[in-house]
């Protein structure tokens, strides 16, 4: 059986993820594996049509395809995203149709589900027969139990191909039926009340909805504009982790990234704008986002108000919406809203209300209580930076100590003492009975005290 591995790591053969596939290959020598380092070779894929054709021919002649990738900011690497875009741009979708496929991802399990959902949806859009995924922690290959799971995953994949099983489609096709956005005249600009506003976009093309949305919002709010398609970006994140020690990117000052991010952080209100391309924003946007990793796992926009202008069917793409909310919460910011051109005729009035909300929230310094997305995500970072990743991410460790992110429950000695006393008391039957009878009403006592005192 011929298996093609589409490697989504910019590190090529040095990829941690690829070692999981190599282990499968070692355990199943009867199959032939072909490794295609598509993320590492993205420039050649863009510029050499013959090389791209060879990659497509390998996929076409295969019995199964494995999408292997590390996570980069809730998704795949920008180069992998660009490879996926090329498939559609060059009309190569039929090469993938009916191919059996699976995905293997490595991470620290921080929003691995959103990256896996993205790849799964791409496979469904390509008409592939998606079998399963295997999401591993970076070091799971060193554990016998996880290796056993990996072997079963591979066995099931190969058996499914042999049996030509019927697969279920999880993601329905996105229906593209959004009309042309026509901006109306602006009768009065929104008073910014001293708040500095910036729009960060990858397109100012006035022939497209997103360009017209950006321009009207800029005029409405008198915001500054940053076009990331016009700035100098030498390349995507290389995954070298050199920034972990002191938050200095390997690119240094050779391009505009660090300067632009520091500039954006100087604004009170930040509006990101872009068009959906497949199931995410553009690869250019993803490259810009990936390169923010020089800040590693530290909040980037603490206290800021964040908004989005999106062109495309966000209502059919819950995964992208979740990613946008997640990254906002992890950055310590407040997501005021996401305005899309799905609203068509209502968009102009909604844009004015949207802008006013951004200003109002900024003046009040309002940060909505974070959900599981932000709280749970930060706990994953907290634990791993405290533990196995501390040496590599020393910048994070210093930041987390300074800002008291290490809020482990075992450090709350008062709570531990109270729990120990109460648990001891519940061993006395009459006390236990009384506590059980009053536990529901006692839960509201602190809240009643607040209401009484206010």
């Amino acid at each position: 059986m011929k298996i093609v591995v589409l490697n989504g790591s910019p590190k090529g053969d040095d990829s941690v993820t690829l070692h999981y596939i190599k282990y499968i290959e070692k355990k199943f020598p009867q199959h032939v594996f072909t490794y295609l380092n598509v993320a590492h070779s993205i420039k050649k894929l863009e510029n050499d049509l013959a090389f791209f054709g060879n990659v497509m021919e390998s996929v076409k002649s295969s019995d199964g395809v494995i999408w292997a990738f590390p996570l980069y900011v809730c998704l795949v690497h920008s180069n992998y995203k660009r490879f996926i875009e090329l498939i559609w741009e060059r009309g190569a979708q039929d090469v993938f149709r009916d191919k059996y496929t699976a995905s293997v991802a490595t991470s620290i399990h921080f929003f691995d589900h959103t990256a896996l959902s993205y790849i799964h949806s791409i496979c469904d859009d390509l008409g592939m027969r998606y079998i399963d995924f295997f999401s591993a922690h970076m070091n799971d290959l060193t554990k016998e139990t996880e290796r056993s799971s990996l072997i079963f995953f591979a066995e099931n994949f190969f058996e499914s191909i042999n049996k030509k099983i019927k697969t279920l489609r999880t993601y329905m096709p996105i229906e593209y039926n959004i009309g042309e956005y026509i901006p109306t005249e602006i009768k009065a600009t929104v008073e910014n009340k001293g708040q500095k506003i910036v729009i960060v976009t990858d397109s100012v093309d006035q022939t497209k909805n997103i360009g017209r949305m950006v321009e009207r919002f800029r005029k409405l709010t008198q915001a500054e504009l940053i076009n990331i398609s016009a700035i100098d970006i030498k390349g995507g994140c290389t995954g070298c982790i050199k920034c972990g020690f002191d938050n200095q990117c390997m690119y240094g000052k050779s391009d505009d990234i660090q300067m632009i991010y520091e500039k954006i952080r100087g604004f009170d209100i930040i509006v990101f704008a872009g068009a959906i391309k497949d199931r995410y924003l553009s690869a250019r946007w993803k490259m810009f986002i990936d390169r923010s990793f020089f800040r590693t796992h530290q909040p980037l926009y603490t206290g800021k108000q964040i908004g989005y202008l999106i062109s495309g069917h966000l209502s059919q793409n819950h995964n992208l919406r979740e990613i946008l909310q997640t990254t906002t919460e992890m950055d310590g910011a407040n997501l005021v809203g996401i305005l899309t051109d799905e609203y068509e005729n209502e968009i102009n009035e909604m844009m004015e209300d949207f802008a006013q909300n951004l200003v109002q929230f900024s003046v009040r310094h309002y940060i909505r209580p974070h959900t599981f997305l932000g709280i749970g995500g930060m706990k994953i970072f907290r634990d791993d930076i405290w533990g196995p990743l501390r040496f590599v991410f020393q910048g994070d460790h210093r930041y987390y100590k300074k800002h008291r992110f290490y809020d482990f429950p075992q450090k709350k000695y008062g709570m531990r003492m109270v729990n120990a006393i109460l648990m001891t008391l519940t061993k006395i039957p009459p006390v236990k009975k009384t506590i059980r009878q009053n536990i529901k009403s006692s839960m509201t006592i602190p809240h009643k005290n607040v209401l009484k005192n206010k």
Side-chain angles (χ1 to χ4, degrees), residues 360-373:
Q360 180 182 353
F361 288 6
S362 185
V363 169
R364 297 293 297 271
H365 304 289
Y366 176 68
I367 301 294
R368 184 184 298 106
H370 287 173
T371 67
F372 172 80
L373 301 178

Side-chain angles (χ1 to χ4, degrees), residues 246-423:
D246 51 14
N247 298 116
Q248 294 300 311
C249 180
M250 62 156 282
Y251 288 99
K253 296 181 179 180
S254 66
D255 66 9
D256 294 338
I257 286 291
Q258 288 193 236
M259 179 269 291
I260 291 295
Y261 268 109
E262 289 308 313
K263 182 177 181 179
I264 293 171
R265 280 158 54 86
F267 290 87
D268 305 296
I269 298 169
I270 307 165
V271 175
F272 300 110
I276 294 176
K277 201 165 186 178
D278 56 65
R279 300 271 182 160
Y280 190 72
L281 301 177
S282 69
R284 181 72 173 187
W285 251 123
K286 190 62 175 62
M287 181 185 293
F288 184 77
I289 292 169
D290 287 353
R291 284 289 304 277
S292 71
F293 193 68
F294 71 88
R295 293 282 301 180
T296 53
H297 308 97
Q298 300 164 35
L300 191 60
Y301 302 120
T302 302
K304 308 295 184 182
Q305 300 298 324
I306 304 294
Y308 281 90
L309 298 175
I310 299 291
S311 176
H313 282 295
L314 187 64
S315 63
Q316 299 179 41
N317 194 347
H318 177 74
N319 195 53
L320 175 55
R321 179 178 286 275
E322 182 172 330
I323 291 172
L324 299 181
Q325 183 177 346
T326 297
T327 52
T328 302
E329 292 192 14
M330 291 300 301
D331 278 330
N334 184 56
L335 180 59
V336 176
I338 305 173
L339 182 60
T340 80
D341 54 0
E342 292 175 292
Y343 295 108
E344 297 188 351
N345 296 333
E346 300 176 279
I347 190 170
N348 291 300
E349 291 183 9
M350 297 178 77
M351 186 179 290
E352 294 177 6
D353 292 338
F354 179 48
Q356 289 172 353
N357 281 341
L358 283 162
V359 173
Q360 180 182 353
F361 288 6
S362 185
V363 169
R364 297 293 297 271
H365 304 289
Y366 176 68
I367 301 294
R368 184 184 298 106
H370 287 173
T371 67
F372 172 80
L373 301 178
I375 295 171
M378 184 49 69
K379 288 183 184 297
I380 289 177
F381 284 162
R382 178 199 67 180
D383 291 357
D384 271 40
I385 298 303
W386 172 264
L389 297 181
R390 187 191 304 191
F391 167 71
V392 178
F393 293 107
Q394 294 180 34
D396 286 343
H397 177 59
R398 291 190 295 269
Y399 185 94
Y400 285 16
K401 283 183 66 177
K402 180 179 178 179
H403 294 84
R404 299 184 178 181
F405 282 17
Y406 292 135
D407 56 348
F408 302 104
Q410 61 266 33
K411 288 188 174 184
K412 299 177 181 179
Y413 299 106
M415 179 193 69
R416 291 169 61 184
M417 184 178 298
V418 169
N419 280 334
I421 293 171
L422 292 176
M423 290 174 71

